[in-house]
Amino acid sequence: MTNDDRRDVSDATSGKTQQEGGVVLLPPGTLVVLCGISGCGKSTFAAANFTTTQIVSSDECRAILSDDPADQSVSGRAFELLHWITDQRLRRKRTTAVDSTALSKRARRDLLKIAHSNQAHIVLICFDIPLAECLARDIARERTVGPVVIGRQYKAFTAALSDIQDEDWDRVFVLSEEEAGKVRFMAQAGSFELRDLTGPFDVIGDLHGCMSELRELLDKLGYRQGSRPAFYHPEGRKLVFLGDLGDRGPDSAEAFALVMSLVEDRVALYTPGNHCNKLMRYLQGRHVKQTHGLSMAVEQVEARDRNKPGFKDRLRRFIENAPTYLWLDNGLLVVAHAGIKADMIGKDNSAVQRMCLYGDITGQTNPDGTPMRLDWAQRYTGTAAIVYGHTPKPDPVWVNNTINIDQGCVFGGWLSALRWPECETVSVRAHAAYYTECTPQFIEEAHKSGSEAENE
């Protein structure tokens, strides 16, 4: 296959997989299918790019059934086992690499079907290694396949390179031996599937750069300052930030810098909000209107990048790789910026991403220009508790096992946290009204009541 042919096959499909500097980031829960003949280096490649638990091998499935990875008499049952394991992993949104030859249309069709049934991103990696090299490697191995079988496989591989252009893959890579040694495939860090993390947690509402209030709240929650990590809890509690770290408030860049360091030090978790997403798009070089406070955040981020070059790139990657929402504590707790519907939990697609960023929007606008939203919490019937923010509310009140902990700190309201599993809320009053262009009515009323009380 020529380089032009290789490019055509890779470009024939499109997907969300990103490639930067020789590293391909795979969306959470991706199915990776390795395709190639015996001796092409699939298993070596799999071991170099995926963890042992992420790899599902046809040889290993044969060995599980018969103690012999070469026992072809159990191949039918072995592939049933391979498909079952693959399906079970994808149901749990676990990135999975299938190590088999995948040379036949039927073999690839079966795997595509499993991926589609689980709404999984699916990537095909073909190893275009010369026949002579594969034969030489086979001779050098303890368990040989033989030239007749490898020759037959090579013909099937050549046919497969043509057939895959008509198959429904999200992304196809056809790698030479040199390319296979250079490119790295990594499961994206931003998986929402964190049910094995059981806390205890302290979930922080919309921050919007209100750093003095955050420090006061952390002190109230019992956190102590350190050097690395910058904050920690003596009882091992973990912070969870539900998005909108910056915009509108006084210290957006500092807020992002702190949360990034806390996440890196494994004492905090983060999922982005719509203001985070908008800043990310600016950092990606896309045209974004700098309205609703974004210009303040951009100014602060640009200034920090001048003092600490590389900050913008680090921040862009941080938001890009953040999970759409956080599914925690054995499935009992979900943290999503604007909320999430019960039937969306366990999924991650464009509809889920839109819901988590913006809420249950209708596409219409209110008279004041804000998007019209449906009150999804009033109809929520799920068993997982949903903690969210996005639309400021006067108080953090439970509604149908959901709680909104955005009390409009940046407008002069309160910065709130939910302690989990205690289900206790802790709040501190804003030190100032930092943004007054669209102050929520309940905060205006609170300010008015306060002024009247002072004049009595």
Side-chain angles (χ1 to χ4, degrees):
M1 176 176 254
T2 67
N3 287 333
D4 286 340
D5 291 334
R6 181 176 295 110
R7 185 186 64 246
D8 289 343
V9 171
S10 291
D11 292 346
T13 56
S14 61
K16 297 178 182 178
T17 306
Q18 304 170 31
Q19 184 171 352
E20 297 181 2
V23 176
V24 178
L25 296 178
L26 302 170
T30 296
L31 175 61
V32 181
V33 177
L34 307 181
C35 175
I37 69 176
S38 299
C40 72
K42 294 189 310 302
S43 298
T44 301
F45 180 87
N49 287 272
F50 303 97
T51 66
T52 302
T53 56
Q54 289 174 332
I55 302 168
V56 184
S57 162
S58 56
D59 285 350
E60 289 299 320
C61 287
R62 290 188 191 94
I64 289 171
L65 296 178
S66 68
D67 295 323
D68 181 2
D71 185 355
Q72 298 297 318
S73 69
V74 297
S75 282
R77 293 297 186 188
F79 274 95
E80 288 179 8
L81 177 59
L82 181 146
H83 292 155
W84 182 83
I85 295 172
T86 301
D87 178 64
Q88 292 299 310
R89 286 185 58 82
L90 294 182
R91 287 187 184 191
R92 291 161 176 79
K93 306 302 177 187
R94 299 294 187 182
T95 294
T96 304
V98 173
D99 180 11
S100 65
T101 60
L103 296 174
S104 71
K105 287 183 180 181
R106 177 180 177 181
R108 296 191 300 275
R109 184 186 66 232
D110 290 344
L111 292 170
L112 281 165
K113 185 177 179 180
I114 293 170
H116 291 155
S117 69
N118 288 285
Q119 299 180 330
H121 191 79
I122 185 162
V123 173
L124 180 70
I125 305 177
C126 300
F127 296 83
D128 189 16
I129 311 301
L131 175 60
E133 176 62 24
C134 294
L135 290 169
R137 291 177 184 176
D138 184 60
I139 292 172
R141 295 195 298 192
E142 182 178 346
R143 180 171 58 85
T144 63
V145 175
V148 174
V149 173
I150 292 179
R152 188 164 59 243
Q153 289 179 346
Y154 191 76
K155 289 182 180 178
F157 179 74
T158 302
L161 291 178
S162 175
D163 293 336
I164 60 178
Q165 297 185 61
D166 297 320
E167 296 174 354
D168 192 18
W169 304 94
D170 290 313
R171 193 77 183 271
V172 174
F173 294 87
V174 182
L175 304 179
S176 66
E177 183 175 5
E178 181 182 3
E179 291 165 341
K182 288 182 178 179
V183 70
R184 290 289 312 280
F185 287 77
M186 296 175 59
Q188 197 168 340
S191 173
F192 63 82
E193 169 57 277
L194 298 169
R195 283 179 288 176
D196 56 325
L197 298 183
T198 56
F201 302 108
D202 295 307
V203 188
I204 309 292
D206 299 44
L207 184 55
H208 284 292
C210 299
M211 287 300 295
S212 58
E213 289 84 354
L214 176 62
R215 293 188 185 94
E216 182 182 346
L217 181 59
L218 292 178
D219 181 66
K220 199 170 180 178
L221 290 167
Y223 285 81
R224 298 175 182 173
Q225 282 192 268
S227 54
R228 196 70 188 257
F231 288 92
Y232 67 95
H233 199 285
E235 296 174 6
R237 301 182 70 89
K238 189 182 288 285
L239 289 163
V240 181
F241 292 89
L242 57 65
D244 283 1
L245 301 181
D247 254 14
R248 297 177 171 171
D251 300 305
S252 293
E254 186 181 351
F256 276 109
L258 173 64
V259 174
M260 281 195 291
S261 71
L262 294 174
V263 171
E264 289 168 359
D265 291 337
R266 300 180 184 276
V267 295
L269 301 170
Y270 161 74
T271 185
N274 57 304
H275 288 266
C276 303
N277 182 267
K278 195 172 185 181
L279 178 60
M280 177 194 73
R281 286 183 277 130
Y282 165 80
L283 295 172
Q284 290 171 334
R286 296 160 67 179
H287 177 69
V288 179
K289 291 183 180 179
Q290 294 187 30
T291 55
H292 304 299
L294 179 61
S295 58
M296 295 171 59
V298 167
E299 252 179 55
Q300 294 164 11
V301 168
E302 293 285 358
R304 192 176 187 95
D305 189 70
R306 286 192 293 273
N307 293 328
K308 296 185 176 181
F311 176 74
K312 289 196 301 183
D313 284 340
R314 180 176 166 229
L315 176 55
R316 172 184 54 78
R317 290 193 298 270
F318 176 68
I319 304 173
E320 284 176 342
N321 290 333
T324 303
Y325 59 96
L326 303 167
W327 198 12
L328 303 164
D329 196 9
N330 296 307
L332 298 175
L333 174 66
V334 176
V335 177
H337 174 68
I340 188 170
K341 298 177 182 178
D343 61 355
M344 291 179 168
I345 299 171
K347 301 175 183 177
D348 193 0
N349 51 42
S350 58
V352 175
Q353 292 160 13
R354 186 167 56 251
M355 174 73 194
C356 290
L357 287 175
Y358 305 106
D360 196 5
I361 54 178
T362 65
Q364 299 175 309
T365 56
N366 295 310
D368 63 357
T370 58
M372 189 178 293
R373 299 182 180 91
L374 300 176
D375 192 350
W376 63 273
Q378 292 291 340
R379 301 186 302 279
Y380 180 74
T381 57
T383 56
I386 311 297
V387 185
Y388 68 106
H390 184 58
T391 305
K393 298 291 182 182
D395 300 293
V397 177
W398 286 94
V399 177
N400 294 333
N401 210 21
T402 78
I403 186 168
N404 183 330
I405 59 169
D406 179 9
Q407 276 66 65
C409 183
V410 75
F411 304 111
W414 298 263
L415 182 64
S416 296
L418 175 78
R419 291 167 58 87
W420 180 272
E422 298 88 346
C423 292
E424 300 168 356
T425 57
V426 180
S427 300
V428 298
R429 186 66 186 264
H431 297 174
Y434 302 104
Y435 190 79
T436 57
E437 288 185 21
C438 56
T439 306
Q441 185 177 354
F442 73 86
I443 293 179
E444 290 180 350
E445 292 172 353
H447 288 170
K448 184 179 178 181
S449 299
S451 299
E452 290 173 351
E454 288 174 2
N455 292 330
E456 288 180 354

